[in-house]
Structures are given as C-alpha cells and as structure tokens.
Amino acid sequence: MQVLSNARNLARVLGSRTILFNSNQLYLSSLIQSPSSSLQCQLHSDASLGINGSCYYPMPLHSIYPMISRTFFSTEAGTVNSNPTEAVKELYDDMLQSVNVKRTMPPNASLWSMIGNCKNREDIKLLFDVLQNLRRFRLSNLRIHSNFNCNLCQQVAKTCARVGAIDFGKKALWLHNVYGLTPSVASAHHLLSYAKAHNDAKLMVEVMRLLKRNNLPLQAGTADIVFSICYNTNDWELISKYSKRFMKAGVNLRQTTFGTWMEFAIRRGDTESLWNIEKLRSESMKQHSLTTGFACAKGLLLERKPEDAAALIQALNETLSDGRKQSITVEVEKLVNEWPSEVLKHQKEEDKKALAASLKSDIPTMVASLLNIGLARDVKLEDLTKNEILS
C-alpha cells in the first residue's frame, strides 16, 4: 500500500511538472509569435528615461531574444519571402557580431549604410532587428536611456515608405516602442506621402489615428498632404472631418491647402462651404492664389454674378507677375471647358437642367467682360456650346 501511495504521489508531481513545462512552452511560443508586444510587458518609454518594465520570463532574456529574432525575421504569414540583399545582410551580421560577441557598439556609419541600402521588405526586417539589438545594448551596457536621434528615425520611416514596408513604418510612430525610435510628425509625413502617391485614404486614416494616439502635433504640412489625398479620392466627408481637427489644433493652413479645399468645394458646387473656407483663408492671408481666386470666381458664377467673377479675375491678374499672367488664360479655359461638367455631376437630377442653363448663359457673359479689359483673348467658347451635358 505504501508503494502504491508513493507511486500515486510521484505521478501527481510529474503531472504537475508536465503541465508547468507545457504552459511555459505555450508562453514562450506566444512571445516568439508576437515580438512587437515587447515580450508581453507593459513598457513605458520616454526619450529621456528610456524603457522600464516588469516581466516574468520562463527563461533568461539572452536565450529568448535570439529565438525571437530568428523566428520573427524569417517568415511572415501570407507573404512570399524574398531574400535580403547581400549588402544589408553583411552589415546586419557585422553589427550583431559587434554587440553580441565583441560587446562593442558598431560605428554609426554602419547603421546609416544599412538604412541606405535597404531595397525590400526582408531588408527592413533585418533593420528593425538591428535597431532592437542596438537599443538593448545601449540601455544595458552603455546605460544610454535616450532614443536614437530624430534624423535617423525619420530616415527609417522614409526607407520603409520607399520599399513599401508600411507596417514597419507605422511602428516608427509609436511613442512606446522597442526599437529606440523617436516618433515625430516628420516621420508620419513620409507615410502620408506614400498614401498620397497611391491614393490610399485608408492608410492616411491609420496614420492620422497613430498621430492622435501618440500625441504627435499636427502641422501645416500634414494638412497639405491629407487634404490632397481627400481631394484625389473624392472624399468630402473625410476632408470635412480633418479640417475641423486641424482648426481645433490651431494649425495655420498654407495657401496651397486652402486652394485644395476650396477647389474641392466648388467642384461639388457647394458655395456655402466655399464662402466659409474663404472667410477662414482671408483671416490669415490677404492675397489670393490662382486656385483660390478662381474658386471664388466659380462661386460667383453659381450665384449668377458673371460680371463680379470677371472683376475678381481682373484683380487677381494684377497681383501676378508678367511671367505668370498667361496662367489666367489657362485657368479661364479650364473653367469654360472642364468645370461645368464636373460641377453638374455632383448636382441632384432635378437641379441639373437649371444650373446647366445658367452656366451656358453666364460663362460667355463673364468671358465677354474679360475680353473688354484685354484678358482671355485666346479663350474659345465653341466647346462650351458643344458640351452635351449643358444641352
């Protein structure tokens, strides 16, 4: 009976150890699969304080980190792996050899060279692994708690955008990250420029959300890119949403930003929004740009004031240098040949006929007034009369 009792006790002990071992395996597996969770710690980062956290690890950190690097940077679900370029791989190996074996910080030139040589996603993976290793080495061995300088961080974001590794680029915007990156709105601009080049409003929304969550201040350049994306993707609701956010943040919009916003409003035939935007613009700048001036001229045409529209264009012409006066004719031609079709597309069906008739009557009146003062001499009205949408 004593033997049987001892056997049962032994089985219970072994069983509990098996469970503990299996739970540790599962815990380690979760760590390896999600390195971006910063080893499941709640880490608090500050540019001057570094990163502090309290964690329990089932095995020493020096054993976990190499496994994370190999697992995370060797594959990614749903993508076809390409190989890192030879130059990047060589720099990667040299820098890891320096910090892990020689226990010395590699030259700054090596990291800059690696950033400059990145050409694909696999290169970016190696870059971020190096950044994490360097940050850890700076903190544990050199007692440097500050992040890498802003110029390097911006270049990392720019490189991510250049090779299309946008998910990595977004990591550069997190205030709390394990890579030693200092987030900035300048880094965000590289991702927003990528979104603009690809007409990707979804990415723009994600980047703007990251800016808000990480308390990064909005700038005039941010608005310039965001408004352009909204205009190019024809999303009036989105530009209205973000315009309120920029106004609330006290951002002084650029002339080009007002131009995009006002041109968008008048393309939709929304004179109420146009005059509200013009009021905001006039409070911060005196003179019109070519775009804002013609947006207002089109607004006057929609209000059946062709002579006023011509007078505004004349005043705008007087503010331009001699070399730019030809631009007036170009813009008048666009107003005659392109804008009527655009604005009619956005009208309700029952309103289109009346608006088409007024434009067909008022645009020639405006052009005649311009001709009387020596402007728009090369503008031809034949295309307006032949425009089927105005018939």
Side-chain angles (χ1 to χ4, degrees):
M1 292 294 292
Q2 183 65 33
V3 173
L4 181 59
S5 176
N6 289 341
R8 287 173 177 169
N9 289 335
L10 180 61
R12 281 196 297 271
V13 171
L14 290 176
S16 64
R17 289 183 178 177
T18 301
I19 292 170
L20 179 60
F21 177 73
N22 288 339
S23 67
N24 280 347
Q25 276 190 319
L26 290 171
Y27 182 65
L28 178 58
S29 174
S30 68
L31 292 179
I32 294 173
Q33 291 171 5
S34 303
S36 62
S37 65
S38 189
L39 301 181
Q40 304 215 346
C41 300
Q42 290 184 350
L43 300 178
H44 305 283
S45 170
D46 183 90
S48 60
L49 299 178
I51 291 184
N52 302 298
S54 177
C55 306
Y56 168 74
Y57 297 98
M59 62 173 61
L61 277 176
H62 63 77
S63 299
I64 293 177
Y65 277 120
M67 295 176 66
I68 292 174
S69 296
R70 287 195 300 270
T71 304
F72 181 63
F73 292 98
S74 63
T75 185
E76 179 178 350
T79 62
V80 178
N81 284 331
S82 60
N83 294 323
T85 57
E86 184 177 346
V88 169
K89 184 63 168 66
E90 183 177 340
L91 288 164
Y92 171 80
D93 291 338
D94 288 346
M95 283 190 279
L96 286 192
Q97 174 80 3
S98 180
V99 296
N100 293 334
V101 179
K102 298 178 182 178
R103 310 304 294 171
T104 60
M105 193 70 180
N108 288 337
S110 296
L111 183 55
W112 280 101
S113 180
M114 187 176 185
I115 294 171
N117 279 284
C118 284
K119 291 181 172 59
N120 58 41
R121 183 180 179 79
E122 298 304 311
D123 290 343
I124 296 295
K125 288 182 180 180
L126 296 184
L127 171 61
F128 272 72
D129 192 34
V130 160
L131 289 170
Q132 186 170 352
N133 275 277
L134 292 178
R135 180 201 166 275
R136 188 166 59 249
F137 183 81
R138 280 158 54 97
L139 184 62
S140 61
N141 290 65
L142 305 180
R143 298 296 185 265
I144 298 175
H145 294 268
S146 59
N147 287 336
F148 297 111
N149 68 63
C150 291
N151 289 335
L152 185 142
C153 301
Q154 291 172 28
Q155 197 63 34
V156 168
K158 182 179 180 180
T159 301
C160 289
R162 174 169 56 81
V163 304
I166 300 303
D167 52 337
F168 281 94
K170 287 187 283 189
K171 293 180 182 181
L173 301 183
W174 280 102
L175 188 62
H176 307 303
N177 66 80
V178 297
Y179 307 105
L181 296 173
T182 303
S184 69
V185 71
S187 294
H189 286 177
H190 292 300
L191 302 184
L192 288 173
S193 294
Y194 177 93
K196 179 181 177 180
H198 293 79
N199 283 331
D200 192 341
K202 182 179 178 182
L203 173 59
M204 178 198 72
V205 171
E206 291 174 358
V207 172
M208 291 296 289
R209 189 177 295 127
L210 285 172
L211 289 176
K212 185 176 182 179
R213 291 179 67 178
N214 292 281
N215 299 316
L216 296 175
L218 299 174
Q219 295 181 355
T222 319
D224 218 20
I225 304 172
V226 167
F227 280 40
S228 292
I229 295 171
C230 294
Y231 179 88
N232 294 337
T233 56
N234 198 34
D235 198 327
W236 179 255
E237 290 185 5
L238 208 53
I239 201 172
S240 299
K241 170 187 173 181
Y242 285 123
S243 63
K244 293 175 184 177
R245 181 171 163 186
F246 282 105
M247 293 296 104
K248 185 177 180 180
V251 177
N252 292 320
L253 300 185
R254 296 173 179 171
Q255 186 80 279
T256 51
T257 308
F258 276 116
T260 301
W261 195 6
M262 292 172 69
E263 177 62 24
F264 198 173
I266 202 60
R267 188 173 71 175
R268 301 175 70 252
D270 187 350
T271 53
E272 180 180 359
S273 295
L274 173 71
W275 300 129
N276 287 334
I277 301 166
E278 166 57 14
K279 184 175 183 295
L280 290 172
R281 186 207 63 79
S282 62
E283 291 172 355
S284 58
M285 52 197 70
K286 295 181 179 180
Q287 290 190 346
H288 274 292
S289 68
L290 205 60
T291 304
T292 61
F294 268 87
C296 289
K298 292 169 185 175
L300 292 169
L301 282 171
L302 291 178
E303 293 179 347
R304 305 300 307 270
K305 301 174 182 177
E307 290 84 3
D308 291 347
L312 193 155
I313 293 173
Q314 180 186 10
L316 181 62
N317 180 71
E318 292 174 356
T319 67
L320 298 177
S321 62
D322 292 338
R324 297 195 61 202
K325 290 186 183 296
Q326 183 59 31
S327 301
I328 293 289
T329 300
V330 173
E331 291 300 320
V332 173
E333 287 177 342
K334 289 180 182 178
L335 185 154
V336 171
N337 300 326
E338 300 174 12
W339 174 64
S341 299
E342 282 287 341
V343 71
L344 285 168
K345 287 178 184 177
H346 292 86
Q347 305 309 304
K348 295 179 180 179
E349 199 62 39
E350 59 269 24
D351 298 331
K352 286 184 178 181
K353 188 174 181 180
L355 179 57
S358 68
L359 292 177
K360 200 170 183 178
S361 169
D362 292 341
I363 289 178
T365 301
M366 182 200 74
V367 172
S369 297
L370 291 174
L371 289 172
N372 289 336
I373 55 177
L375 295 177
R377 292 175 180 174
D378 297 329
V379 174
K380 298 178 181 178
L381 295 172
E382 288 82 354
D383 291 337
L384 180 68
T385 56
K386 294 177 181 177
N387 195 330
E388 294 181 0
I389 199 169
L390 296 177
S391 301

